[in-house]
Structures are given as structure tokens and as C-alpha cells.
Amino acid sequence: VARGYFTESEAHSFTCCLQEKLKSSGVAIRAFYYCHHSPEDNCTCRKPKPGLILRAAQDHGIDLSHSFMVGDKISDALTGENAGCRGVLIGENQEWTGMVFSNLFEFSLWLSSSPWHPEIFLSARNFQILEAGLYEYAGILKERLYGRL
């Protein structure tokens, strides 16, 4: 928002639209958080600082030690680690030594085969990629929670 890529109103419209689309697939997102500040503001919520994740954890009683921060840039994964989550990078390695998956679907498959039931924080520059990935993830979550569809 602060960089002018989209307005506050456009961000709100997107989150409402995404929430409705996912709701029709049986998936609900508890809340959307985003930083309103520019890099020069030096706030605590701009990545890689963990302010937004810490606020979400407090607002929703989330155990960060059992959570993942998933994103397409090293700063996303680093933000998660700074908050006490496991950082996950989607896409090319970019010299990240932590968990890396080629796409959100691959991460979803890995997660569905694990015994964990974590909270997941997502970050992506391209909302269409995030939306498509969430649809794939929504299907896996539904299958895991309710059996084969």
C-alpha cells in the first residue's frame, strides 16, 4: 500500500474476494495482515521484522513454534524465523538454507503427510499466484480433514 502498487481499498477488496472464494471451498482465513508503512518508516511490521506475525499470534492464540511462514522471497522466510516460526521458501532456492519447495502445492503435499497441524502464514508478491496456490492447498486440507472427496 505504501509503495503505491495498490490502494487500501483495492487491498481490502482483494482480501474480501479471496475470503469468499475460499469460503466456497470450505476454507476460512482468520484474518489478513499487511504493513501500511514504507521501508523508510522503519516500523516493526515490515518484513523481515516479525511485528505482523507476532500481532496475529497474539490476536488468535497461535503457537508460533508450531507454525510456518511461507513466502516467495527470503525476507518472507526470514520473517517467520524472526517470529519463532519455521520459514519456508517457495520457488528458487535463492541461497536459503531452510525449507524450500518448488510451489505451494508441493509444500501442501509435504505438510499433508506430516503429523503436524500447524498455523500457516502466507506471503506472496503476486496475488494471483497466492490465490491459485491457496485453492490447491484448500483441496488438500479438505481431503485431510474430511477424507477423500
Side-chain angles (χ1 to χ4, degrees):
V1 172
R3 290 185 175 177
Y5 296 141
F6 44 90
T7 66
E8 186 99 25
S9 175
E10 290 168 332
H12 178 72
S13 293
F14 167 77
T15 58
C16 289
C17 179
L18 181 60
Q19 184 80 293
E20 284 302 311
K21 287 181 179 184
L22 290 173
K23 186 177 181 180
S24 69
S25 297
V27 175
I29 295 177
R30 290 187 201 172
F32 292 87
Y33 295 86
Y34 57 94
C35 177
H36 302 267
H37 305 103
S38 70
E40 294 77 30
D41 291 334
N42 198 28
C43 64
T44 61
C45 58
R46 192 162 187 87
K47 298 180 293 187
K49 294 179 183 172
L52 290 178
I53 292 178
L54 297 175
R55 188 168 84 201
Q58 183 177 17
D59 290 352
H60 301 284
I62 295 170
D63 180 354
L64 293 174
S65 68
H66 291 92
S67 302
F68 293 90
M69 171 62 178
V70 181
D72 61 347
K73 295 189 297 184
I74 289 177
S75 63
D76 299 326
L78 185 58
T79 300
E81 294 206 346
N82 288 341
C85 300
R86 293 176 184 212
V88 177
L89 184 65
I90 301 297
E92 295 180 21
N93 185 318
Q94 303 174 27
E95 299 181 16
W96 177 248
T97 58
M99 297 175 75
V100 179
F101 294 90
S102 60
N103 54 54
L104 193 55
F105 183 69
E106 185 181 292
F107 170 69
S108 301
L109 289 175
W110 174 84
L111 187 62
S112 69
S113 67
S114 78
W116 297 4
H117 298 281
E119 299 289 344
I120 300 173
F121 300 92
L122 295 169
S123 176
R125 289 174 295 196
N126 184 325
F127 286 140
Q128 291 174 338
I129 291 172
L130 174 60
E131 185 174 357
L134 284 173
Y135 276 118
E136 291 173 322
Y137 185 67
I140 287 175
L141 279 182
K142 281 178 69 175
E143 183 176 313
R144 182 174 178 183
L145 295 174
Y146 304 111
R148 282 233 175 259
L149 299 175

